[in-house]
Amino acid sequence: MYPANSTETSPTTNGVACAIPEPVMDEVDPLNDDELAHITKALGNPTRIRIFRLLTERQTCVTGELVAELPLAQSTISEHLRILREANLIQGEIEGPRTSYCINQRVLAAYKRAIETL
């Protein structure tokens, strides 16, 4: 449904396509209307926007770091992460008992491109 994940990976994220440069906008197709609405809805919550900003700033983050940063219960943060994951805005990799999350740069670029076409 959404643009395919890049096959490039960062050596510091154990195979998750994180911390790589944003794809060139011309190489990414804009999202269709259903995809655009789904992603916009996922970002339609101030907590999820804050989580997204934190992931953008840090490039990768585990749930515990987000819990320490935000005044919410771990279960609440996990639910917000689930919604962002389902929208394919973020991706995560299990590292032992923790999951490390990062921005899906390809989907973010497609989202930006779709917004430009409005």
Side-chain angles (χ1 to χ4, degrees):
M1 181 169 159
Y2 300 106
N5 294 338
S6 172
T7 57
E8 298 178 65
T9 60
S10 167
T12 60
T13 57
N14 299 321
V16 175
C18 294
I20 59 173
E22 184 174 318
V24 177
M25 293 294 271
D26 291 340
E27 296 174 2
V28 178
D29 292 330
L31 305 172
N32 66 41
D33 290 347
D34 290 338
E35 294 166 337
L36 179 60
H38 186 71
I39 289 175
T40 302
K41 183 177 178 182
L43 288 173
N45 178 287
T47 298
R48 289 193 287 273
I49 290 173
R50 180 70 182 131
I51 289 169
F52 199 79
R53 286 185 192 276
L54 286 169
L55 291 174
T56 300
E57 292 167 9
R58 298 180 184 188
Q59 296 187 343
T60 185
C61 199
V62 296
T63 306
E65 293 170 335
L66 295 170
V67 171
E69 188 77 28
L70 300 168
L72 299 168
Q74 187 272 331
S75 60
T76 303
I77 300 281
S78 291
E79 178 64 10
H80 286 299
L81 289 168
R82 181 191 65 77
I83 292 166
L84 291 170
R85 252 189 349 264
E86 285 181 356
N88 209 18
L89 281 165
I90 65 172
Q91 48 200 13
E93 179 174 298
I94 297 172
E95 296 178 351
R98 308 179 321 169
T99 302
S100 180
Y101 292 98
C102 65
I103 302 296
N104 183 331
Q105 294 295 332
R106 194 140 186 91
V107 171
L108 179 58
Y111 182 67
K112 288 177 180 179
R113 186 129 187 242
I115 293 294
E116 289 176 350
T117 66
L118 292 177

